Amino acid sequence: MTKQIIERCEKMASPVKSSNEVKANRRALSLTSMYFNRFLVFRYVTAIFFFVNLYWAIILFGSGSGIGLLPSVLLIGTTMVMVEQVGKLWKHTNRLTFTRWFYWVQLTVNLSVGFGLMFGKLQVFYPFLNGTSLRWVLSVLSFGILISAFLEYRVFLIEHDKDRYIKHIRQFEANI
């Protein structure tokens, strides 16, 4: 009886796992990483939008402009997207509710600000710039519109399992 107890204790205390357990853990970790990396572009672009909107809000509030609430709302949206993206590590789902919502809002804000700038409202949205920087600001806003539209397309593909990455994941799962 004591010999059996000692053997059980040794097995429990032994950090060495069988090669099958190690392989299974590696495969599970690889699969988890693959699902998480499916959303990699959203994490990077969201971080960029977060800092652009943060600096814009700081400068607007620093100049005493109440329009600083606009980038502040966008900051809240980026935070919600970040939380949703981190949750993708544990929950393998293709639903991107907050991500889809945020990029539509970002696209709409960029369009609205762009139209406002074309109608002479540069000092309202960017009181720290003068008229010579109008083309540069419109270029940056246009780039943000294109990025947001591209990410909306990516959200559509992922939510409908039509992206290329899910095919690789399924092929990997079939080979396990």
Side-chain angles (χ1 to χ4, degrees):
M1 179 77 166
T2 56
K3 186 177 179 181
Q4 292 173 344
I5 293 173
I6 291 172
E7 286 176 4
R8 284 187 193 164
C9 289
E10 286 175 354
K11 284 183 182 177
M12 290 173 53
S14 174
V16 179
K17 294 183 177 181
S18 72
S19 65
N20 288 338
E21 288 179 73
V22 171
K23 286 180 183 178
N25 286 341
R26 282 185 187 162
R27 289 178 182 146
L29 181 61
S30 294
L31 198 56
T32 299
S33 297
M34 289 176 84
Y35 274 107
F36 191 59
N37 288 338
R38 187 178 181 197
F39 308 102
L40 192 64
V41 69
F42 298 110
R43 291 194 297 275
Y44 282 117
V45 173
T46 301
I48 291 168
F49 276 128
F50 177 82
F51 286 108
V52 168
N53 291 326
L54 176 67
Y55 295 141
W56 186 28
I58 289 171
I59 291 172
L60 285 175
F61 283 130
S63 68
S65 177
I67 202 76
L69 292 174
L70 182 63
S72 299
V73 169
L74 293 173
L75 284 172
I76 293 168
T78 56
T79 304
M80 292 169 56
V81 171
M82 288 180 206
V83 169
E84 181 179 59
Q85 292 301 316
V86 169
K88 297 295 178 198
L89 183 60
W90 298 283
K91 187 176 180 184
H92 303 290
T93 177
N94 62 349
R95 301 300 309 159
L96 296 164
T97 307
F98 293 118
T99 303
R100 184 180 349 107
W101 171 84
F102 169 72
Y103 284 109
W104 275 120
V105 171
Q106 183 73 52
L107 189 138
T108 304
V109 167
N110 284 8
L111 279 171
S112 301
V113 170
F115 282 128
L117 295 181
M118 287 189 273
F119 290 109
K121 302 295 183 187
L122 179 69
Q123 293 300 309
V124 173
F125 296 107
Y126 301 98
F128 48 90
L129 296 176
N130 58 26
T132 59
S133 47
L134 180 62
R135 286 186 180 180
W136 182 81
V137 173
L138 285 173
S139 298
V140 171
L141 288 171
S142 298
F143 186 66
I145 291 167
L146 290 174
I147 294 289
S148 296
F150 170 73
L151 290 178
E152 283 296 330
Y153 175 69
R154 289 289 307 240
V155 166
F156 174 81
L157 290 177
I158 288 173
E159 286 187 335
H160 293 90
D161 286 334
K162 293 184 179 187
D163 59 315
R164 287 185 290 151
Y165 209 71
I166 193 67
K167 293 174 187 173
H168 296 294
I169 293 170
R170 290 187 177 146
Q171 187 178 29
F172 180 77
E173 282 178 318
N175 292 331
I176 292 182

